[in-house]
Amino acid sequence: MTQNTPTIFIVEDEWKIARFVQIELEHEGFSTKIEANGRRALDRIMQEAFSLILLDIMLPDMNGLEICRRVREVSAIPIIMITAKGDIEDKVTGLDLGADDYVTKPFATPELLARIRAALRKHKNVISPPAAEQQLRLKNLVLFPARYEARVDGQAVDLTKKEYDLLEHLIRNKNVVLVREQILQEVWGYEYAGETNVVDVYIRYLRSKLDERFKQKYIHTVRGVGYVVKE
């Protein structure tokens, strides 16, 4: 495989189908990777560089439609939905969420290859997805450090610079309980002369903009210690 060989990510939990597609694609000169779990597939899409995604709808932990929706928040990478369902609603939903095309099982290999080539030509400038940009994730919350931007299910969260810095620090230390003094030093700086209750004030600001707005618990209080964020 050359450096410019397109890499196809096959997201399919039926191993025989995934392996069959892999063999056919590699025979045609493509590079391939396989993932059977929906949530792991989303994580890999956000971290690795693929040229196109073949995405089944029925997957464990997270279905293909939800994966498609989340990927489209950050990337224009070509997505072809592959599903056993012939129901028109699934096809319409997939296309509405941003899928480029769909193929219904059972499908003919020449047709699948033709659709892949067509999607790659359409997105010929997409070599690696914008998702290669660094992201920090917590549940349905995504931070884009390079842009100081936060989004929940694609909706922008209006944060001040200090609110963003605090949230980023918490997420970078996900599942670790942070004491107020440590947060104060890391976010406000070692020379900050204020009281540690400024941390509590800004935690309240974040909760009003995240926990209360989106009805989800992001920031947890550990009484007498400090704060932690966890999945």
Side-chain angles (χ1 to χ4, degrees), residues 152-216:
V152 174
D153 288 333
Q155 300 181 58
V157 183
D158 185 21
L159 300 176
T160 67
K161 173 64 163 57
K162 194 57 66 179
E163 289 168 349
Y164 179 90
D165 289 344
L166 173 57
L167 182 60
E168 180 178 331
H169 183 64
L170 290 169
I171 293 179
R172 285 189 183 277
N173 292 276
K174 183 165 52 178
N175 299 320
V176 177
V177 179
L178 301 176
V179 300
R180 290 170 177 82
E181 291 78 7
Q182 178 187 4
I183 296 172
L184 192 66
Q185 290 177 349
E186 294 294 332
V187 178
W188 275 265
Y190 286 94
E191 298 178 359
Y192 183 77
E195 299 295 331
T196 56
N197 65 357
V198 71
V199 176
D200 301 323
V201 171
Y202 272 80
I203 290 290
R204 287 200 298 272
Y205 292 160
L206 287 178
R207 281 176 169 160
S208 68
K209 294 182 177 183
L210 292 169
D211 298 46
E212 295 175 17
R213 177 182 173 188
F214 297 102
K215 312 301 181 187
Q216 179 114 232

Side-chain angles (χ1 to χ4, degrees), residues 10 15 19 35 39 52 64 67 89 92 111 118 134 137 144-145 149 154 156 179 198 202:
I10 304 165
W15 171 247
R19 182 61 180 145
E35 178 57 64
R39 190 168 296 279
L52 181 144
I67 294 172
E89 291 184 5
V92 171
E111 177 189 4
Q134 185 188 15
R137 302 183 69 89
F144 302 89
E149 185 176 317
V179 300
V198 71
Y202 272 80

Side-chain angles (χ1 to χ4, degrees), residues 45-104:
I45 292 167
M46 295 301 179
Q47 297 170 13
E48 302 176 43
F50 301 111
S51 305
L52 181 144
I53 305 169
L54 293 178
L55 184 59
D56 191 21
I57 288 183
M58 301 301 291
L59 295 165
D61 290 345
M62 181 181 293
N63 67 48
L65 296 175
E66 177 64 10
I67 294 172
C68 182
R69 184 185 70 78
R70 296 199 186 190
V71 170
R72 277 296 173 258
E73 292 176 1
V74 296
S75 174
I77 183 173
I79 298 175
I80 298 178
M81 308 295 295
I82 300 181
T83 174
K85 292 187 175 181
D87 189 88
I88 191 64
E89 291 184 5
D90 290 312
K91 298 174 182 178
V92 171
T93 299
L95 294 173
D96 283 346
L97 288 172
D100 296 82
D101 203 350
Y102 63 85
V103 178
T104 302

Side-chain angles (χ1 to χ4, degrees), residues 8-61:
I8 312 300
F9 190 32
I10 304 165
V11 184
E12 166 65 68
D13 65 332
E14 294 185 51
W15 171 247
K16 289 184 178 179
I17 294 176
R19 182 61 180 145
F20 169 77
V21 172
Q22 181 181 46
I23 292 171
E24 294 293 329
L25 290 180
E26 292 187 350
H27 178 72
E28 293 295 319
F30 293 104
S31 174
T32 64
K33 293 187 178 180
I34 295 176
E35 178 57 64
N37 179 276
R39 190 168 296 279
R40 286 199 302 268
L42 179 61
D43 289 341
R44 292 181 64 180
I45 292 167
M46 295 301 179
Q47 297 170 13
E48 302 176 43
F50 301 111
S51 305
L52 181 144
I53 305 169
L54 293 178
L55 184 59
D56 191 21
I57 288 183
M58 301 301 291
L59 295 165
D61 290 345

